[in-house]
Amino acid sequence: MGIQRDSPRNSPKEKTTLKYLFDLDSKPFIGSPLSNPSHGGIESEHAQILSAISGCSLVFTFTDPQELPWQQDHKRLKLIQVVSLLKSSRKSLHGHLLSRLMSMISVNLFRPLPPPSNTTSVISALPDDDELSTFTPLWPHLQLVYDILFRLVINVDPKKLKDHIDCRFIHNLLFLFQSEDPREREGLKNVFHRIYSRFTFHRSFMRKAMNEVFLRHVFETERHCGIGELLEIWGSIINGFGVPLKEEHKLFLMRVLLPLHKVKDMPVYHRQLAYCVMQFVQKEPALGGIVAKGILRYWPITNCHKEVLLIGELEELVENIDPDQYRMLAVPLCSRITRCLNSCNSQVAERALCVWNNEQFKKMASVAMEEVFPVVVEGMERNLKVHWSKSVKQLTENVKTVLEEMDPTLYEKCLQEIDHRESEARREQIKRQQRWTKIEMAAAKQSNFLQPTKSIYVSSN
């Protein structure tokens, strides 16, 4: 498509600088008939785009020593030119041009991803994950290709792109969410969200395809870099659901979102997951009971970081659930919080104690005080006696004061019951020790009675 005299291959070696390439790319469009509106019109714009596309289908790895830097720069300039022409174009693109553009996009984007690094999930959980994550060297080209695709999606009639952005294309985009480069995942998220927004005939398929990714992550791989970005898309989708919710959407909450709490790398995407779950509860507060039981079902045993996050999620859940469910949820939630405040990990214990500063949580506990207080008071007293952390003991004293103010008589009654149980346990221990002493003495006597007599044999020789 290009002209030989304008090709960098045929230019003198000393002129292959970045400035020269910029000048080189501008030559076909300056003073040519195609650039003159009186001669070209829509054909001129399309011809310019086709000319720019011609140098964009060669894929560079940026790791092959045989690749020349000036070739990489030349392709980047061509991509910049395509973006610029799409921005300035006010005419609709014809079918042949769309086909060439989508073909170029597919060639550049749909590629095999490198094997995942061993530190991805750990790095992604750190605060400065954008600085530490694995960046793809292809990003200087990929960024522009994603920009081109984004502009096509938002500016071209979906009916014209229907044959190009089909189910296979969407599957290929979903595969790229496994990229370890957060910049690429962010670009993918924006494009995928726009496709869902504009291509309404693909919405059902896109939801099912994303659900398959989630379920495979939960039950098979437990490793996927793009779960957070996909959940961000889902958060926007859930926000648009009408009330009352469809059964299909409730099943998505129970069968997909709640099981995502059990995956070991859940802290990486917990913020987006909690947002999606809370969207459901805010739309239908009656779902709060299902969500609470689901979170308790997948509660971690040895992962303290996950415990801290889930305690915060439960606290937010209590603020949004239907008050009619307080009595049903008071005992299981308060029991779990009590076990957490007795944790040997000080962060878990402190986070659980802070829950008692929440007015809605105290209101829920007050609905079933007769059942809740015996469990909570016992946990408080155990903390004051045996916990190693001074800060935890101080927070426990503060919470104890709050509970005593809620119902001083019931709190005192619980203390008396605890003292009674402890005294009964001590008496039982003494009786058990006495029984063992009798058994040992009886065994010793029996051993002496049955001990064989020692005989001395004298040889006759």
Coordinates of all heavy atoms in Angstrom, one line a residue, residues 379-414:
G379 N -16.3 -14.7 75.8 CA -15.1 -14.3 75.0 C -14.4 -13.1 75.5 O -13.1 -13.1 75.5
M380 N -15.1 -12.1 76.0 CA -14.5 -10.9 76.6 C -13.6 -11.3 77.8 O -12.5 -10.9 78.0 CB -15.6 -9.9 77.0 CG -16.4 -9.3 75.9 SD -15.4 -8.2 74.8 CE -16.6 -7.9 73.5
E381 N -14.2 -12.1 78.7 CA -13.5 -12.5 79.9 C -12.3 -13.3 79.6 O -11.2 -13.2 80.3 CB -14.4 -13.2 80.9 CG -15.6 -12.4 81.4 CD -15.2 -11.2 82.2 OE1 -14.2 -11.3 83.0 OE2 -15.7 -10.1 81.9
R382 N -12.3 -14.1 78.6 CA -11.2 -14.9 78.2 C -10.1 -14.0 77.7 O -8.9 -14.2 78.0 CB -11.6 -16.0 77.2 CG -10.4 -16.9 76.8 CD -10.8 -17.9 75.7 NE -11.9 -18.7 76.1 CZ -13.1 -18.7 75.5 NH1 -13.3 -17.9 74.4 NH2 -14.1 -19.5 75.9
N383 N -10.4 -13.0 76.9 CA -9.4 -12.1 76.4 C -8.7 -11.4 77.6 O -7.5 -11.2 77.6 CB -10.1 -11.0 75.5 CG -9.9 -11.3 74.0 OD1 -9.4 -12.4 73.7 ND2 -10.2 -10.4 73.2
L384 N -9.5 -10.9 78.5 CA -8.9 -10.2 79.7 C -8.0 -11.0 80.5 O -7.0 -10.5 81.1 CB -10.1 -9.6 80.5 CG -10.9 -8.5 79.9 CD1 -12.1 -8.2 80.8 CD2 -10.1 -7.3 79.6
K385 N -8.2 -12.3 80.5 CA -7.4 -13.2 81.3 C -6.1 -13.7 80.6 O -5.0 -13.7 81.2 CB -8.2 -14.4 81.8 CG -9.3 -14.0 82.8 CD -10.1 -15.3 83.2 CE -11.2 -14.9 84.1 NZ -12.1 -16.1 84.5
V386 N -6.3 -14.1 79.3 CA -5.2 -14.8 78.7 C -4.6 -14.2 77.4 O -3.6 -14.7 77.0 CB -5.6 -16.3 78.4 CG1 -6.1 -17.0 79.6 CG2 -6.7 -16.3 77.3
H387 N -5.2 -13.2 76.9 CA -4.6 -12.7 75.6 C -3.3 -12.0 75.8 O -3.1 -11.3 76.8 CB -5.6 -11.7 74.9 CG -5.4 -11.6 73.4 ND1 -4.4 -10.9 72.8 CD2 -6.1 -12.2 72.4 CE1 -4.5 -11.1 71.5 NE2 -5.5 -11.8 71.2
W388 N -2.4 -12.2 74.9 CA -1.0 -11.7 75.1 C -0.9 -10.2 74.7 O 0.1 -9.5 75.2 CB -0.1 -12.5 74.1 CG -0.4 -12.3 72.7 CD1 -1.2 -13.1 71.9 CD2 0.2 -11.3 71.8 NE1 -1.2 -12.6 70.6 CE2 -0.4 -11.5 70.5 CE3 1.1 -10.3 72.0 CZ2 -0.1 -10.7 69.4 CZ3 1.4 -9.5 70.9 CH2 0.8 -9.7 69.6
S389 N -1.8 -9.6 73.9 CA -1.6 -8.3 73.4 C -2.2 -7.3 74.4 O -3.4 -7.4 74.8 CB -2.3 -8.1 72.0 OG -2.3 -6.8 71.6
K390 N -1.5 -6.3 74.8 CA -2.0 -5.2 75.7 C -3.0 -4.4 75.0 O -4.0 -4.0 75.6 CB -0.8 -4.3 76.1 CG 0.2 -5.0 77.0 CD 1.2 -4.1 77.5 CE 2.2 -4.8 78.5 NZ 3.3 -3.8 78.9
S391 N -2.8 -4.1 73.7 CA -3.8 -3.3 73.0 C -5.1 -4.0 72.8 O -6.2 -3.4 72.9 CB -3.3 -2.9 71.6 OG -3.0 -4.1 70.8
V392 N -5.1 -5.3 72.6 CA -6.3 -6.1 72.5 C -7.0 -6.1 73.9 O -8.3 -5.9 74.0 CB -6.0 -7.5 72.1 CG1 -7.2 -8.4 72.2 CG2 -5.5 -7.6 70.6
K393 N -6.3 -6.2 75.0 CA -6.9 -6.2 76.3 C -7.5 -4.8 76.6 O -8.6 -4.7 77.2 CB -5.8 -6.5 77.4 CG -5.4 -7.9 77.4 CD -4.5 -8.2 78.6 CE -4.2 -9.7 78.7 NZ -3.3 -10.0 79.9
Q394 N -6.9 -3.7 76.1 CA -7.4 -2.4 76.3 C -8.7 -2.2 75.5 O -9.7 -1.7 76.1 CB -6.4 -1.4 75.9 CG -6.9 0.1 76.1 CD -7.2 0.4 77.5 OE1 -6.4 0.1 78.4 NE2 -8.4 1.0 77.8
L395 N -8.7 -2.7 74.3 CA -10.0 -2.6 73.5 C -11.1 -3.5 74.1 O -12.2 -3.1 74.1 CB -9.7 -3.1 72.0 CG -8.9 -2.1 71.2 CD1 -8.6 -2.7 69.8 CD2 -9.8 -0.8 70.9
T396 N -10.7 -4.6 74.6 CA -11.7 -5.5 75.3 C -12.3 -4.8 76.5 O -13.5 -5.0 76.7 CB -11.0 -6.8 75.7 OG1 -10.3 -7.4 74.6 CG2 -12.0 -7.8 76.3
E397 N -11.5 -4.1 77.2 CA -12.1 -3.3 78.4 C -13.1 -2.3 77.9 O -14.1 -2.1 78.5 CB -10.9 -2.6 79.1 CG -10.0 -3.6 80.0 CD -10.7 -4.0 81.3 OE1 -11.9 -3.5 81.5 OE2 -10.1 -4.7 82.0
N398 N -12.8 -1.7 76.8 CA -13.7 -0.6 76.2 C -15.0 -1.3 75.8 O -16.1 -0.7 76.0 CB -13.0 0.1 75.1 CG -11.8 0.9 75.5 OD1 -11.6 1.2 76.7 ND2 -10.9 1.2 74.5
V399 N -14.9 -2.4 75.1 CA -16.1 -3.1 74.6 C -16.9 -3.7 75.8 O -18.1 -3.6 75.8 CB -15.7 -4.2 73.7 CG1 -17.0 -5.0 73.3 CG2 -15.1 -3.7 72.4
K400 N -16.2 -4.1 76.8 CA -16.9 -4.6 78.0 C -17.7 -3.5 78.7 O -18.9 -3.7 79.1 CB -15.9 -5.1 79.1 CG -16.5 -5.6 80.3 CD -15.4 -6.1 81.3 CE -16.1 -6.6 82.6 NZ -15.1 -7.1 83.6
T401 N -17.2 -2.3 78.7 CA -17.9 -1.2 79.2 C -19.2 -0.9 78.4 O -20.3 -0.6 78.9 CB -17.1 0.1 79.2 OG1 -15.9 -0.2 80.0 CG2 -17.8 1.3 79.8
V402 N -19.1 -1.0 77.1 CA -20.2 -0.8 76.2 C -21.3 -1.8 76.4 O -22.5 -1.5 76.5 CB -19.8 -0.8 74.7 CG1 -21.0 -0.8 73.8 CG2 -18.8 0.3 74.4
L403 N -20.9 -3.1 76.6 CA -21.8 -4.2 76.8 C -22.5 -4.0 78.2 O -23.7 -4.3 78.3 CB -21.1 -5.5 76.7 CG -20.6 -5.9 75.3 CD1 -19.9 -7.2 75.4 CD2 -21.7 -6.0 74.3
E404 N -21.8 -3.6 79.2 CA -22.4 -3.4 80.5 C -23.4 -2.3 80.5 O -24.4 -2.4 81.2 CB -21.3 -3.1 81.5 CG -20.4 -4.3 81.9 CD -19.3 -4.0 82.8 OE1 -18.8 -2.8 82.8 OE2 -18.8 -4.8 83.6
E405 N -23.2 -1.3 79.7 CA -24.1 -0.2 79.5 C -25.4 -0.7 78.8 O -26.5 -0.2 79.1 CB -23.5 1.0 78.8 CG -22.4 1.6 79.6 CD -21.7 2.7 78.8 OE1 -22.1 2.8 77.5 OE2 -20.9 3.5 79.3
M406 N -25.3 -1.6 77.9 CA -26.4 -2.1 77.2 C -27.4 -2.8 78.1 O -28.6 -2.6 78.0 CB -26.0 -3.1 76.0 CG -25.3 -2.4 74.9 SD -24.6 -3.5 73.6 CE -26.2 -4.2 73.0
D407 N -26.9 -3.7 79.0 CA -27.8 -4.4 80.0 C -26.9 -4.9 81.1 O -26.4 -6.0 81.1 CB -28.4 -5.6 79.3 CG -29.6 -6.2 80.1 OD1 -29.5 -6.1 81.3 OD2 -30.5 -6.7 79.5
P408 N -26.7 -4.0 82.2 CA -25.9 -4.4 83.3 C -26.3 -5.6 84.0 O -25.5 -6.5 84.4 CB -26.0 -3.1 84.2 CG -26.5 -2.0 83.3 CD -27.4 -2.7 82.3
T409 N -27.6 -5.8 84.2 CA -28.1 -7.0 84.9 C -27.8 -8.3 84.1 O -27.3 -9.3 84.7 CB -29.7 -6.9 85.1 OG1 -30.0 -5.7 85.7 CG2 -30.2 -8.1 85.9
L410 N -28.0 -8.3 82.8 CA -27.7 -9.5 82.0 C -26.2 -9.8 82.0 O -25.8 -10.9 82.1 CB -28.3 -9.3 80.6 CG -28.1 -10.5 79.7 CD1 -28.8 -11.8 80.2 CD2 -28.7 -10.2 78.3
Y411 N -25.4 -8.7 81.9 CA -24.0 -8.9 81.9 C -23.5 -9.6 83.2 O -22.7 -10.5 83.2 CB -23.3 -7.6 81.7 CG -21.8 -7.8 81.3 CD1 -21.5 -7.7 79.9 CD2 -20.8 -8.0 82.2 CE1 -20.2 -7.9 79.5 CE2 -19.5 -8.2 81.8 CZ -19.2 -8.1 80.5 OH -17.9 -8.3 80.1
E412 N -24.1 -9.1 84.3 CA -23.7 -9.6 85.7 C -24.1 -11.1 85.8 O -23.4 -11.9 86.3 CB -24.3 -8.8 86.8 CG -23.9 -9.2 88.2 CD -22.4 -9.1 88.4 OE1 -21.8 -8.2 87.8 OE2 -21.9 -9.9 89.2
K413 N -25.3 -11.4 85.2 CA -25.8 -12.7 85.2 C -24.9 -13.7 84.4 O -24.7 -14.8 84.9 CB -27.3 -12.7 84.7 CG -27.9 -14.1 84.6 CD -29.3 -14.0 84.0 CE -29.9 -15.4 83.9 NZ -31.2 -15.4 83.2
C414 N -24.5 -13.2 83.3 CA -23.6 -14.0 82.5 C -22.2 -14.2 83.2 O -21.7 -15.3 83.1 CB -23.3 -13.3 81.2 SG -24.7 -13.2 80.1

